[in-house]
PDB file of all heavy atoms in Angstrom:
ATOM      1  N   TRP A1464      59.256  79.800  73.509  1.00  0.00           N
ATOM      2  CA  TRP A1464      59.869  80.916  74.237  1.00  0.00           C
ATOM      3  C   TRP A1464      59.810  80.664  75.746  1.00  0.00           C
ATOM      4  O   TRP A1464      60.795  80.872  76.452  1.00  0.00           O
ATOM      5  CB  TRP A1464      59.199  82.247  73.909  1.00  0.00           C
ATOM      6  CG  TRP A1464      59.561  83.290  74.910  1.00  0.00           C
ATOM      7  CD1 TRP A1464      58.761  83.795  75.892  1.00  0.00           C
ATOM      8  CD2 TRP A1464      60.840  83.905  75.101  1.00  0.00           C
ATOM      9  NE1 TRP A1464      59.460  84.699  76.662  1.00  0.00           N
ATOM     10  CE2 TRP A1464      60.748  84.780  76.196  1.00  0.00           C
ATOM     11  CE3 TRP A1464      62.063  83.789  74.447  1.00  0.00           C
ATOM     12  CZ2 TRP A1464      61.825  85.535  76.651  1.00  0.00           C
ATOM     13  CZ3 TRP A1464      63.124  84.546  74.904  1.00  0.00           C
ATOM     14  CH2 TRP A1464      62.992  85.407  75.981  1.00  0.00           C
ATOM     15  N   ALA A1465      58.676  80.205  76.250  1.00  0.00           N
ATOM     16  CA  ALA A1465      58.536  79.952  77.690  1.00  0.00           C
ATOM     17  C   ALA A1465      59.509  78.860  78.141  1.00  0.00           C
ATOM     18  O   ALA A1465      60.139  78.987  79.195  1.00  0.00           O
ATOM     19  CB  ALA A1465      57.093  79.569  78.023  1.00  0.00           C
ATOM     20  N   SER A1466      59.662  77.800  77.339  1.00  0.00           N
ATOM     21  CA  SER A1466      60.619  76.742  77.678  1.00  0.00           C
ATOM     22  C   SER A1466      62.039  77.274  77.661  1.00  0.00           C
ATOM     23  O   SER A1466      62.850  76.957  78.539  1.00  0.00           O
ATOM     24  CB  SER A1466      60.509  75.585  76.689  1.00  0.00           C
ATOM     25  OG  SER A1466      59.272  74.946  76.816  1.00  0.00           O
ATOM     26  N   PHE A1467      62.359  78.070  76.666  1.00  0.00           N
ATOM     27  CA  PHE A1467      63.691  78.673  76.572  1.00  0.00           C
ATOM     28  C   PHE A1467      63.988  79.515  77.803  1.00  0.00           C
ATOM     29  O   PHE A1467      65.051  79.398  78.409  1.00  0.00           O
ATOM     30  CB  PHE A1467      63.796  79.531  75.307  1.00  0.00           C
ATOM     31  CG  PHE A1467      65.119  80.213  75.158  1.00  0.00           C
ATOM     32  CD1 PHE A1467      66.162  79.585  74.508  1.00  0.00           C
ATOM     33  CD2 PHE A1467      65.328  81.490  75.668  1.00  0.00           C
ATOM     34  CE1 PHE A1467      67.395  80.208  74.376  1.00  0.00           C
ATOM     35  CE2 PHE A1467      66.556  82.118  75.546  1.00  0.00           C
ATOM     36  CZ  PHE A1467      67.593  81.472  74.891  1.00  0.00           C
ATOM     37  N   GLU A1468      63.046  80.349  78.182  1.00  0.00           N
ATOM     38  CA  GLU A1468      63.258  81.247  79.327  1.00  0.00           C
ATOM     39  C   GLU A1468      63.411  80.466  80.630  1.00  0.00           C
ATOM     40  O   GLU A1468      64.263  80.789  81.461  1.00  0.00           O
ATOM     41  CB  GLU A1468      62.109  82.253  79.416  1.00  0.00           C
ATOM     42  CG  GLU A1468      62.244  83.262  80.514  1.00  0.00           C
ATOM     43  CD  GLU A1468      63.462  84.183  80.392  1.00  0.00           C
ATOM     44  OE1 GLU A1468      64.154  84.168  79.354  1.00  0.00           O
ATOM     45  OE2 GLU A1468      63.726  84.914  81.364  1.00  0.00           O
ATOM     46  N   GLU A1469      62.615  79.425  80.805  1.00  0.00           N
ATOM     47  CA  GLU A1469      62.736  78.600  82.012  1.00  0.00           C
ATOM     48  C   GLU A1469      64.105  77.914  82.067  1.00  0.00           C
ATOM     49  O   GLU A1469      64.766  77.888  83.113  1.00  0.00           O
ATOM     50  CB  GLU A1469      61.619  77.559  82.046  1.00  0.00           C
ATOM     51  CG  GLU A1469      61.580  76.756  83.325  1.00  0.00           C
ATOM     52  CD  GLU A1469      60.400  75.794  83.378  1.00  0.00           C
ATOM     53  OE1 GLU A1469      59.398  76.013  82.677  1.00  0.00           O
ATOM     54  OE2 GLU A1469      60.496  74.815  84.134  1.00  0.00           O
ATOM     55  N   ALA A1470      64.547  77.378  80.929  1.00  0.00           N
ATOM     56  CA  ALA A1470      65.863  76.735  80.876  1.00  0.00           C
ATOM     57  C   ALA A1470      66.983  77.758  81.071  1.00  0.00           C
ATOM     58  O   ALA A1470      67.983  77.478  81.729  1.00  0.00           O
ATOM     59  CB  ALA A1470      66.029  76.004  79.547  1.00  0.00           C
ATOM     60  N   ARG A1471      66.808  78.953  80.518  1.00  0.00           N
ATOM     61  CA  ARG A1471      67.811  80.008  80.690  1.00  0.00           C
ATOM     62  C   ARG A1471      67.980  80.369  82.153  1.00  0.00           C
ATOM     63  O   ARG A1471      69.095  80.512  82.657  1.00  0.00           O
ATOM     64  CB  ARG A1471      67.423  81.242  79.879  1.00  0.00           C
ATOM     65  CG  ARG A1471      68.506  82.327  79.851  1.00  0.00           C
ATOM     66  CD  ARG A1471      67.974  83.609  79.257  1.00  0.00           C
ATOM     67  NE  ARG A1471      66.981  84.232  80.104  1.00  0.00           N
ATOM     68  CZ  ARG A1471      67.266  84.933  81.212  1.00  0.00           C
ATOM     69  NH1 ARG A1471      68.507  85.078  81.619  1.00  0.00           N
ATOM     70  NH2 ARG A1471      66.299  85.481  81.923  1.00  0.00           N
ATOM     71  N   LEU A1472      66.876  80.473  82.859  1.00  0.00           N
ATOM     72  CA  LEU A1472      66.936  80.782  84.289  1.00  0.00           C
ATOM     73  C   LEU A1472      67.600  79.646  85.062  1.00  0.00           C
ATOM     74  O   LEU A1472      68.376  79.890  86.002  1.00  0.00           O
ATOM     75  CB  LEU A1472      65.541  81.076  84.829  1.00  0.00           C
ATOM     76  CG  LEU A1472      64.893  82.367  84.311  1.00  0.00           C
ATOM     77  CD1 LEU A1472      63.439  82.450  84.756  1.00  0.00           C
ATOM     78  CD2 LEU A1472      65.678  83.588  84.740  1.00  0.00           C
ATOM     79  N   ALA A1473      67.322  78.390  84.687  1.00  0.00           N
ATOM     80  CA  ALA A1473      67.959  77.246  85.345  1.00  0.00           C
ATOM     81  C   ALA A1473      69.468  77.262  85.098  1.00  0.00           C
ATOM     82  O   ALA A1473      70.261  76.971  86.005  1.00  0.00           O
ATOM     83  CB  ALA A1473      67.347  75.933  84.850  1.00  0.00           C
ATOM     84  N   MET A1474      69.865  77.613  83.883  1.00  0.00           N
ATOM     85  CA  MET A1474      71.299  77.714  83.576  1.00  0.00           C
ATOM     86  C   MET A1474      71.941  78.839  84.388  1.00  0.00           C
ATOM     87  O   MET A1474      73.054  78.682  84.899  1.00  0.00           O
ATOM     88  CB  MET A1474      71.511  77.977  82.080  1.00  0.00           C
ATOM     89  CG  MET A1474      71.261  76.795  81.203  1.00  0.00           C
ATOM     90  SD  MET A1474      72.606  75.617  81.223  1.00  0.00           S
ATOM     91  CE  MET A1474      73.851  76.528  80.352  1.00  0.00           C
ATOM     92  N   ALA A1475      71.244  79.949  84.519  1.00  0.00           N
ATOM     93  CA  ALA A1475      71.788  81.074  85.283  1.00  0.00           C
ATOM     94  C   ALA A1475      71.941  80.699  86.755  1.00  0.00           C
ATOM     95  O   ALA A1475      72.895  81.100  87.414  1.00  0.00           O
ATOM     96  CB  ALA A1475      70.890  82.297  85.129  1.00  0.00           C
ATOM     97  N   GLU A1476      71.001  79.911  87.264  1.00  0.00           N
ATOM     98  CA  GLU A1476      71.034  79.525  88.673  1.00  0.00           C
ATOM     99  C   GLU A1476      72.082  78.448  88.954  1.00  0.00           C
ATOM    100  O   GLU A1476      72.812  78.522  89.946  1.00  0.00           O
ATOM    101  CB  GLU A1476      69.648  79.014  89.092  1.00  0.00           C
ATOM    102  CG  GLU A1476      69.560  78.587  90.543  1.00  0.00           C
ATOM    103  CD  GLU A1476      68.185  78.048  90.887  1.00  0.00           C
ATOM    104  OE1 GLU A1476      67.185  78.592  90.384  1.00  0.00           O
ATOM    105  OE2 GLU A1476      68.125  77.067  91.654  1.00  0.00           O
ATOM    106  N   ARG A1477      72.174  77.440  88.091  1.00  0.00           N
ATOM    107  CA  ARG A1477      73.030  76.294  88.377  1.00  0.00           C
ATOM    108  C   ARG A1477      74.320  76.255  87.570  1.00  0.00           C
ATOM    109  O   ARG A1477      75.211  75.479  87.881  1.00  0.00           O
ATOM    110  CB  ARG A1477      72.244  75.005  88.134  1.00  0.00           C
ATOM    111  CG  ARG A1477      71.076  74.874  89.100  1.00  0.00           C
ATOM    112  CD  ARG A1477      70.330  73.569  88.878  1.00  0.00           C
ATOM    113  NE  ARG A1477      69.097  73.581  89.633  1.00  0.00           N
ATOM    114  CZ  ARG A1477      67.913  73.902  89.132  1.00  0.00           C
ATOM    115  NH1 ARG A1477      67.795  74.236  87.876  1.00  0.00           N
ATOM    116  NH2 ARG A1477      66.836  73.873  89.885  1.00  0.00           N
ATOM    117  N   GLY A1478      74.385  77.043  86.492  1.00  0.00           N
ATOM    118  CA  GLY A1478      75.578  77.053  85.654  1.00  0.00           C
ATOM    119  C   GLY A1478      75.543  75.985  84.585  1.00  0.00           C
ATOM    120  O   GLY A1478      74.621  75.163  84.529  1.00  0.00           O
ATOM    121  N   PRO A1479      76.563  75.953  83.728  1.00  0.00           N
ATOM    122  CA  PRO A1479      76.565  75.009  82.611  1.00  0.00           C
ATOM    123  C   PRO A1479      76.879  73.568  83.019  1.00  0.00           C
ATOM    124  O   PRO A1479      76.606  72.649  82.259  1.00  0.00           O
ATOM    125  CB  PRO A1479      77.658  75.558  81.692  1.00  0.00           C
ATOM    126  CG  PRO A1479      78.553  76.331  82.593  1.00  0.00           C
ATOM    127  CD  PRO A1479      77.681  76.882  83.684  1.00  0.00           C
ATOM    128  N   LEU A1480      77.454  73.367  84.210  1.00  0.00           N
ATOM    129  CA  LEU A1480      77.753  72.016  84.684  1.00  0.00           C
ATOM    130  C   LEU A1480      77.006  71.747  85.980  1.00  0.00           C
ATOM    131  O   LEU A1480      76.910  72.619  86.841  1.00  0.00           O
ATOM    132  CB  LEU A1480      79.261  71.849  84.924  1.00  0.00           C
ATOM    133  CG  LEU A1480      80.158  72.014  83.696  1.00  0.00           C
ATOM    134  CD1 LEU A1480      81.622  71.960  84.102  1.00  0.00           C
ATOM    135  CD2 LEU A1480      79.845  70.959  82.641  1.00  0.00           C
ATOM    136  N   VAL A1481      76.456  70.553  86.087  1.00  0.00           N
ATOM    137  CA  VAL A1481      75.736  70.146  87.303  1.00  0.00           C
ATOM    138  C   VAL A1481      76.240  68.772  87.718  1.00  0.00           C
ATOM    139  O   VAL A1481      76.867  68.063  86.930  1.00  0.00           O
ATOM    140  CB  VAL A1481      74.200  70.116  87.082  1.00  0.00           C
ATOM    141  CG1 VAL A1481      73.652  71.501  86.795  1.00  0.00           C
ATOM    142  CG2 VAL A1481      73.829  69.151  85.972  1.00  0.00           C
ATOM    143  N   GLU A1482      75.948  68.410  88.928  1.00  0.00           N
ATOM    144  CA  GLU A1482      76.378  67.106  89.429  1.00  0.00           C
ATOM    145  C   GLU A1482      75.494  66.020  88.833  1.00  0.00           C
ATOM    146  O   GLU A1482      74.265  66.071  88.882  1.00  0.00           O
ATOM    147  CB  GLU A1482      76.285  67.076  90.959  1.00  0.00           C
ATOM    148  CG  GLU A1482      76.890  65.842  91.573  1.00  0.00           C
ATOM    149  CD  GLU A1482      76.901  65.902  93.086  1.00  0.00           C
ATOM    150  OE1 GLU A1482      77.150  66.989  93.641  1.00  0.00           O
ATOM    151  OE2 GLU A1482      76.645  64.849  93.704  1.00  0.00           O
ATOM    152  N   GLY A1483      76.132  65.002  88.248  1.00  0.00           N
ATOM    153  CA  GLY A1483      75.413  63.867  87.676  1.00  0.00           C
ATOM    154  C   GLY A1483      75.084  62.838  88.743  1.00  0.00           C
ATOM    155  O   GLY A1483      75.434  62.992  89.916  1.00  0.00           O
ATOM    156  N   ARG A1484      74.455  61.739  88.350  1.00  0.00           N
ATOM    157  CA  ARG A1484      74.036  60.724  89.327  1.00  0.00           C
ATOM    158  C   ARG A1484      75.220  60.023  89.989  1.00  0.00           C
ATOM    159  O   ARG A1484      75.095  59.491  91.068  1.00  0.00           O
ATOM    160  CB  ARG A1484      73.075  59.731  88.703  1.00  0.00           C
ATOM    161  CG  ARG A1484      73.698  58.747  87.747  1.00  0.00           C
ATOM    162  CD  ARG A1484      72.657  57.804  87.223  1.00  0.00           C
ATOM    163  NE  ARG A1484      72.134  58.394  85.995  1.00  0.00           N
ATOM    164  CZ  ARG A1484      71.930  57.722  84.894  1.00  0.00           C
ATOM    165  NH1 ARG A1484      72.122  56.438  84.861  1.00  0.00           N
ATOM    166  NH2 ARG A1484      71.498  58.316  83.818  1.00  0.00           N
ATOM    167  N   ASP A1485      76.376  60.032  89.323  1.00  0.00           N
ATOM    168  CA  ASP A1485      77.570  59.413  89.899  1.00  0.00           C
ATOM    169  C   ASP A1485      78.421  60.418  90.671  1.00  0.00           C
ATOM    170  O   ASP A1485      79.508  60.077  91.129  1.00  0.00           O
ATOM    171  CB  ASP A1485      78.430  58.777  88.807  1.00  0.00           C
ATOM    172  CG  ASP A1485      77.706  57.642  88.097  1.00  0.00           C
ATOM    173  OD1 ASP A1485      76.857  57.003  88.739  1.00  0.00           O
ATOM    174  OD2 ASP A1485      77.991  57.404  86.910  1.00  0.00           O
ATOM    175  N   GLY A1486      77.939  61.638  90.798  1.00  0.00           N
ATOM    176  CA  GLY A1486      78.692  62.662  91.508  1.00  0.00           C
ATOM    177  C   GLY A1486      79.669  63.428  90.629  1.00  0.00           C
ATOM    178  O   GLY A1486      80.288  64.381  91.075  1.00  0.00           O
ATOM    179  N   ASN A1487      79.819  63.018  89.376  1.00  0.00           N
ATOM    180  CA  ASN A1487      80.679  63.731  88.440  1.00  0.00           C
ATOM    181  C   ASN A1487      79.949  64.933  87.866  1.00  0.00           C
ATOM    182  O   ASN A1487      78.714  64.960  87.820  1.00  0.00           O
ATOM    183  CB  ASN A1487      81.099  62.822  87.278  1.00  0.00           C
ATOM    184  CG  ASN A1487      81.902  61.638  87.741  1.00  0.00           C
ATOM    185  OD1 ASN A1487      82.584  61.714  88.763  1.00  0.00           O
ATOM    186  ND2 ASN A1487      81.815  60.547  87.006  1.00  0.00           N
ATOM    187  N   LEU A1488      80.687  65.918  87.388  1.00  0.00           N
ATOM    188  CA  LEU A1488      80.073  67.053  86.718  1.00  0.00           C
ATOM    189  C   LEU A1488      79.671  66.649  85.302  1.00  0.00           C
ATOM    190  O   LEU A1488      80.435  66.009  84.582  1.00  0.00           O
ATOM    191  CB  LEU A1488      81.042  68.234  86.676  1.00  0.00           C
ATOM    192  CG  LEU A1488      81.312  68.910  88.009  1.00  0.00           C
ATOM    193  CD1 LEU A1488      82.319  70.037  87.837  1.00  0.00           C
ATOM    194  CD2 LEU A1488      80.033  69.427  88.646  1.00  0.00           C
ATOM    195  N   VAL A1489      78.456  67.029  84.937  1.00  0.00           N
ATOM    196  CA  VAL A1489      77.927  66.769  83.594  1.00  0.00           C
ATOM    197  C   VAL A1489      77.321  68.049  83.049  1.00  0.00           C
ATOM    198  O   VAL A1489      77.038  68.994  83.794  1.00  0.00           O
ATOM    199  CB  VAL A1489      76.861  65.638  83.601  1.00  0.00           C
ATOM    200  CG1 VAL A1489      77.460  64.319  84.054  1.00  0.00           C
ATOM    201  CG2 VAL A1489      75.677  66.015  84.458  1.00  0.00           C
ATOM    202  N   LYS A1490      77.109  68.068  81.747  1.00  0.00           N
ATOM    203  CA  LYS A1490      76.481  69.233  81.121  1.00  0.00           C
ATOM    204  C   LYS A1490      75.060  69.397  81.660  1.00  0.00           C
ATOM    205  O   LYS A1490      74.306  68.427  81.765  1.00  0.00           O
ATOM    206  CB  LYS A1490      76.464  69.054  79.612  1.00  0.00           C
ATOM    207  CG  LYS A1490      75.906  70.232  78.853  1.00  0.00           C
ATOM    208  CD  LYS A1490      76.111  70.115  77.355  1.00  0.00           C
ATOM    209  CE  LYS A1490      75.249  69.038  76.776  1.00  0.00           C
ATOM    210  NZ  LYS A1490      75.272  69.002  75.316  1.00  0.00           N
ATOM    211  N   ASN A1491      74.711  70.617  82.013  1.00  0.00           N
ATOM    212  CA  ASN A1491      73.373  70.924  82.515  1.00  0.00           C
ATOM    213  C   ASN A1491      72.346  70.588  81.425  1.00  0.00           C
ATOM    214  O   ASN A1491      72.454  71.088  80.306  1.00  0.00           O
ATOM    215  CB  ASN A1491      73.309  72.408  82.890  1.00  0.00           C
ATOM    216  CG  ASN A1491      72.048  72.775  83.626  1.00  0.00           C
ATOM    217  OD1 ASN A1491      71.016  72.143  83.472  1.00  0.00           O
ATOM    218  ND2 ASN A1491      72.129  73.825  84.424  1.00  0.00           N
ATOM    219  N   PRO A1492      71.345  69.736  81.712  1.00  0.00           N
ATOM    220  CA  PRO A1492      70.319  69.406  80.715  1.00  0.00           C
ATOM    221  C   PRO A1492      69.558  70.636  80.213  1.00  0.00           C
ATOM    222  O   PRO A1492      69.003  70.610  79.113  1.00  0.00           O
ATOM    223  CB  PRO A1492      69.373  68.454  81.449  1.00  0.00           C
ATOM    224  CG  PRO A1492      70.130  67.961  82.627  1.00  0.00           C
ATOM    225  CD  PRO A1492      71.146  69.008  82.969  1.00  0.00           C
ATOM    226  N   ALA A1493      69.572  71.698  80.982  1.00  0.00           N
ATOM    227  CA  ALA A1493      68.895  72.919  80.546  1.00  0.00           C
ATOM    228  C   ALA A1493      69.520  73.477  79.273  1.00  0.00           C
ATOM    229  O   ALA A1493      68.843  74.138  78.482  1.00  0.00           O
ATOM    230  CB  ALA A1493      68.917  73.963  81.655  1.00  0.00           C
ATOM    231  N   ALA A1494      70.807  73.196  79.041  1.00  0.00           N
ATOM    232  CA  ALA A1494      71.460  73.674  77.818  1.00  0.00           C
ATOM    233  C   ALA A1494      70.789  73.068  76.583  1.00  0.00           C
ATOM    234  O   ALA A1494      70.570  73.767  75.584  1.00  0.00           O
ATOM    235  CB  ALA A1494      72.947  73.337  77.844  1.00  0.00           C
ATOM    236  N   GLN A1495      70.449  71.794  76.634  1.00  0.00           N
ATOM    237  CA  GLN A1495      69.781  71.147  75.499  1.00  0.00           C
ATOM    238  C   GLN A1495      68.361  71.678  75.331  1.00  0.00           C
ATOM    239  O   GLN A1495      67.896  71.875  74.207  1.00  0.00           O
ATOM    240  CB  GLN A1495      69.758  69.623  75.663  1.00  0.00           C
ATOM    241  CG  GLN A1495      69.161  68.884  74.483  1.00  0.00           C
ATOM    242  CD  GLN A1495      69.992  69.056  73.222  1.00  0.00           C
ATOM    243  OE1 GLN A1495      71.203  68.916  73.260  1.00  0.00           O
ATOM    244  NE2 GLN A1495      69.352  69.361  72.110  1.00  0.00           N
TER     245      GLN A1495
END
């Protein structure tokens, strides 16, 4: 539950897509 809540907050803050190492948008790892 604590991991879920932390990831949920990260998703809320950054959204479902984040910048990858190449500068492209990638799926937020918090979703997994």
